[in-house]
Amino acid sequence: MESLGVVAHRGGLVVERPELTVGIVRAVSRPDGLELELLARRPLDRRDAVQRQADIRAGVTGPPPAPRRLLPEYDEGLDLRVGWLDADGRAHWEYGSWSSSSGDHFEGVEGPSFRTLIRFPPMFDRVSVALAWPEIGFPETVLELPLPDRATVERETVSIWEAPLRVRHPRVALNHRDGTHPVETPAVEAGRIAAAPQVLSRGGEAVVVLTSLTAAGRYLYLGVCSIAEGEQGETAAAEAFPPGPEPARPGASIAVVTGQEAVWVPTFSGSAGGGDRSFRSEGEFVVARPDTDVLTLLVTWPSAGLAEVLVDVPLTTA
């Protein structure tokens, strides 16, 4: 992710079946490819342990497999497969990054989920996305998604190092406090993309990018990428991966500002990595949706040389 692309889809559920729901978490078009992030969720297994064991002894193993039409007779997939159809209707299956959750930590409210980030070749105007998971009885499904045209994507895609930076410095002292994770965790796959990607902070060889922002009920899900190179990358990596048992502190920190109060948001999930003189982290934050159509953030990354700045993020769900 070295450039800001164009929002290619507004997100939300695109498949709702008894055995599986699928929603688009992020869709970004760039001249070099289409980035598609999906979250699939299976229904909660409400059987207790005794019933599950009884079903196993009785040979009850689940629904029969769905037929394979687009998938080959055998493949290496185990979960949801994602691909695209060419002009001749042939399926090209792509394998991206995967993460999963059992759903247990949601107190039995949600079933297990599977999240994948797929990168397709450059695509414009429309795309036929193929989904398949025959082992659970989910039939092969083709989604016809409209996309921005090539001219729009090429015109509006800009390097994260050159994108407009609209920040300001706090004029008055803010009252700081630490925030907490939300009591409830709404399904991000059912939300709607509420803001375009934008640069939140930048200086030297360090940059903080808002990669996605989804409105789901009373909450906003923010995807934030922190990148640093050279000396700034070396320092950021040293802080993120300290020797010994000290906890990691990867990437930028963000706070939601309302009036003169700044509430620092804990990371909901994330990952980080880097080399000798480079560092990159991906973090996801969940915040309460403000009463206005603007989310004001305080962004800072001291180890990468980025001081506190305020940035306004316009929100929309139209």
Side-chain angles (χ1 to χ4, degrees), residues 19-106:
E19 61 277 333
L20 191 72
T21 60
V22 182
I24 296 177
V25 178
R26 175 171 47 172
V28 179
S29 287
R30 299 184 178 90
D32 60 352
L34 172 66
E35 188 175 82
L36 191 65
E37 187 171 6
L38 302 176
L39 192 151
R41 196 181 302 277
R42 299 187 63 182
L44 184 68
D45 186 349
R46 299 189 180 278
R47 299 174 300 168
D48 59 25
V50 174
Q51 185 62 53
R52 283 196 292 268
Q53 290 300 317
D55 289 344
I56 292 173
R57 289 194 295 271
V60 178
T61 59
R68 291 170 176 255
R69 297 178 295 104
L70 298 172
L71 278 173
E73 183 177 359
Y74 302 101
D75 71 315
E76 298 179 355
L78 296 175
D79 299 312
L80 179 69
R81 279 72 128 191
V82 183
W84 55 277
L85 303 186
D86 61 23
D88 296 323
R90 291 189 297 255
H92 301 261
W93 300 100
E94 306 283 353
Y95 297 93
S97 62
W98 269 100
S99 64
S100 62
S101 169
S102 67
D104 294 341
H105 54 289
F106 295 121

Side-chain angles (χ1 to χ4, degrees), residues 94-177:
E94 306 283 353
Y95 297 93
S97 62
W98 269 100
S99 64
S100 62
S101 169
S102 67
D104 294 341
H105 54 289
F106 295 121
E107 300 181 354
V109 176
E110 299 179 355
S113 64
F114 306 85
R115 191 164 175 172
T116 183
L117 177 63
I118 302 289
R119 290 181 172 85
F120 288 172
M123 295 181 180
F124 310 99
D125 302 315
R126 60 178 294 278
V127 61
S128 298
V129 177
L131 306 176
W133 195 345
E135 293 81 3
I136 65 169
F138 175 70
E140 295 177 344
T141 301
V142 177
L143 308 173
E144 300 292 341
L145 303 181
L147 297 176
D149 58 53
R150 181 187 295 270
T152 299
V153 173
E154 292 179 347
R155 181 179 65 251
E156 298 186 13
T157 298
V158 60
S159 166
I160 59 175
W161 303 103
E162 299 174 354
L165 181 62
R166 301 181 179 92
V167 302
R168 64 187 191 278
H169 297 281
R171 295 183 178 179
V172 297
L174 297 173
N175 301 316
H176 298 261
R177 66 178 178 88

Side-chain angles (χ1 to χ4, degrees), residues 105-106 115 181-182 184-185 221 265-270 283-286:
H105 54 289
F106 295 121
R115 191 164 175 172
H181 290 299
E184 58 180 306
T185 307
Y221 286 76
V265 186
T267 305
F268 185 73
S269 64
E284 187 171 76
F285 303 83
V286 181

Side-chain angles (χ1 to χ4, degrees), residues 202-290:
R202 187 175 60 220
E205 294 184 275
V207 61
V208 181
V209 181
L210 177 70
T211 57
S212 63
L213 192 155
T214 302
R218 300 187 297 113
Y219 294 98
L220 301 175
Y221 286 76
L222 283 67
V224 177
C225 180
S226 305
I227 301 172
E229 305 289 345
E231 293 184 5
Q232 289 167 287
E234 186 175 359
T235 305
E239 180 179 282
F241 309 113
E246 291 295 325
R249 300 179 296 278
S253 299
I254 67 170
V256 175
V257 177
T258 305
Q260 290 185 237
E261 183 178 60
V263 180
W264 294 98
V265 186
T267 305
F268 185 73
S269 64
S271 61
D276 294 336
R277 293 172 61 83
S278 66
F279 175 82
R280 178 186 297 249
S281 74
E282 301 276 353
E284 187 171 76
F285 303 83
V286 181
V287 305
R289 184 167 184 169

